Amino acid sequence: WSATKNLKTKAFYMSFGSTAVHTQSNINRGDAYAVRLVHDTILPMPPTKSITVNDVTFNMVFVQGGTFMMGAASDDKQAEVDEKPAHQVTLSDYYIAQTEVTQALWEAVMQDNPSANKASGNHPVENILWNDCRLFVQKLNELTGLTFRLPTEAEWEYAARGGKRSCGYKYAGSNDINEVAWYEDNCTASQPVAQKKPNELGLYDMSGNVYEFCYDWYAPYTAEAQTNPIGPSSSPNARVARGGGCWKPQDAGGGALFC
């Protein structure tokens, strides 16, 4: 999740199992993580806002705030231990990007493309660290005069569930994973964004294509109700990554975070 001072091409790795946390230093930077933008609402609030940066256009989708149960139900046998307990979360309105940040947008802002799979500009950017994402957002804000940021884990999950339009699907937009996600059983590498069915809010690839960084430090869930949570202010753990990926964990280069 962070490069070392003397080994900028290496990173620290942390994975979370059902009974233990595993750490390792100086491994190869992972190629399994992407980023999705968030923008706080400014009146008026159209359902979609198109923004252009250096001739590259991307869409931000309005998410009406509300209250939902975050995390897995107690009887969900497929859930990991750290996905429980389910707890009530209330969120304010915000905008979230319709797709993962593409390589074309990353290049337009950063003037480089670190991705391992450079098949097209419409593929999601990957092979990035959390600090790379922070610098990307900073430069994007300077170019646009707007205030983008990374989504909190709660905002990411609420949007993936479909917000107030949620139909209660198992995956983001469907009960059939193949309708909405690229993952290890239907692909061997990342795919162009927005090729599968969107979820109820019109968001693409929330259940699978590449894992997506969130703002929060990783921390266990608690049962207490929360409003606009942002996670702990610091932690010895990694940053949270959500969603699913087309790489198997053992092929992810830098390891995969399951949070």
Side-chain angles (χ1 to χ4, degrees):
W1 65 90
S2 179
T4 65
K5 178 179 179 181
N6 297 321
L7 293 170
K8 293 184 179 179
T9 61
K10 301 292 184 177
F12 296 98
Y13 160 78
M14 178 175 286
S15 63
F16 302 91
S18 59
T19 59
V21 176
H22 308 283
T23 61
Q24 183 178 345
S25 64
N26 294 331
I27 64 171
N28 291 328
R29 288 171 59 154
D31 57 4
Y33 299 108
V35 62
R36 189 181 297 257
L37 295 167
V38 161
H39 186 292
D40 294 315
T41 59
I42 300 175
L43 293 174
M45 297 178 292
T48 303
K49 295 197 298 188
S50 293
I51 298 165
T52 300
V53 180
N54 291 336
D55 298 324
V56 176
T57 299
F58 62 98
N59 294 324
M60 301 294 291
V61 175
F62 175 65
V63 181
Q64 184 180 2
T67 299
F68 75 112
M69 294 303 294
M70 181 174 175
S74 59
D75 60 352
D76 187 344
K77 296 181 180 180
Q78 292 185 316
E80 298 290 338
V81 173
D82 60 359
E83 295 179 66
K84 303 174 182 179
H87 51 288
Q88 181 177 291
V89 172
T90 300
L91 296 174
S92 302
D93 298 345
Y94 58 99
Y95 280 89
I96 191 167
Q98 192 169 42
T99 71
E100 295 150 334
V101 170
T102 63
Q103 293 177 32
L105 177 57
W106 188 275
E107 278 195 81
V109 174
M110 302 292 283
Q111 306 303 310
D112 69 3
N113 182 1
S115 303
N117 180 19
K118 294 184 174 71
S120 79
N122 206 37
H123 277 64
V125 68
E126 23 80 3
N127 194 29
I128 53 177
L129 303 176
W130 189 91
N131 282 334
D132 298 329
C133 299
R134 183 174 62 176
L135 181 58
F136 167 78
V137 169
Q138 177 183 327
K139 290 189 175 183
L140 179 63
N141 290 344
E142 292 171 357
L143 287 169
T144 62
L146 300 173
T147 309
F148 295 97
R149 56 181 174 81
L150 297 179
T152 65
E153 184 182 13
E155 288 172 333
W156 193 99
E157 182 171 323
Y158 181 64
R161 289 176 177 270
K164 285 198 169 183
R165 299 181 182 179
S166 177
C167 295
Y169 293 127
K170 183 175 182 180
Y171 305 101
S174 176
N175 288 323
D176 179 357
I177 190 172
N178 289 292
E179 286 188 340
V180 294
W182 298 107
Y183 67 113
E184 64 184 76
D185 287 350
N186 64 12
C187 70
T188 58
S190 61
Q191 301 294 313
V193 300
Q195 300 299 301
K196 293 286 188 176
K197 178 182 174 183
N199 76 350
E200 300 94 319
L201 292 172
L203 306 176
Y204 293 91
D205 300 314
M206 297 292 279
S207 289
N209 194 359
V210 284
Y211 295 98
E212 300 177 18
F213 278 121
C214 295
Y215 173 82
D216 311 46
W217 287 104
Y218 172 84
Y221 289 163
T222 63
E224 287 77 20
Q226 302 175 57
T227 299
N228 294 323
I230 60 173
S233 58
S234 63
S235 172
N237 298 320
R239 298 283 182 170
V240 172
R242 295 296 303 266
C246 57
W247 285 278
K248 297 179 182 179
Q250 63 267 29
D251 298 331
L257 298 179
F258 298 102
C259 306

